[in-house]
Amino acid sequence: MYSRIGALQTPGADVVIRPNVGSIGSADFERRHEAILEGEKAALNALPAIRVIVDRLRAENRLN
């Protein structure tokens, strides 16, 4: 169900962060720290794109 919701919302997103967790199952709690680290790496890699979007929104006076 969540994958369907995500598939509907993803096309409208400015940035989509996809951590490399394909080998970690949703119930694989022993590897949660690995999943967190992958999420952090993916977020750091997305920061340049996010900064560009934030700068554009500021220039358009769309951010407070």
Side-chain angles (χ1 to χ4, degrees):
M1 178 174 157
Y2 290 112
S3 63
R4 248 189 303 164
I5 293 170
L8 292 172
Q9 293 176 338
T10 300
D14 292 318
V15 175
V16 176
I17 299 174
R18 289 192 170 103
N20 184 15
V21 292
S23 65
I24 302 173
S26 60
D28 199 352
F29 299 115
E30 292 179 4
R31 296 179 68 193
R32 67 186 178 275
H33 297 296
E34 183 182 345
I36 291 167
L37 289 174
E38 288 298 324
E40 290 175 352
K41 283 195 288 187
L44 286 172
N45 287 334
L47 278 177
I50 294 168
R51 286 188 178 114
V52 168
I53 292 165
V54 169
D55 289 343
R56 179 178 47 83
L57 292 173
R58 280 194 180 123
E60 295 171 359
N61 289 320
R62 294 174 55 194
L63 288 180
N64 296 335

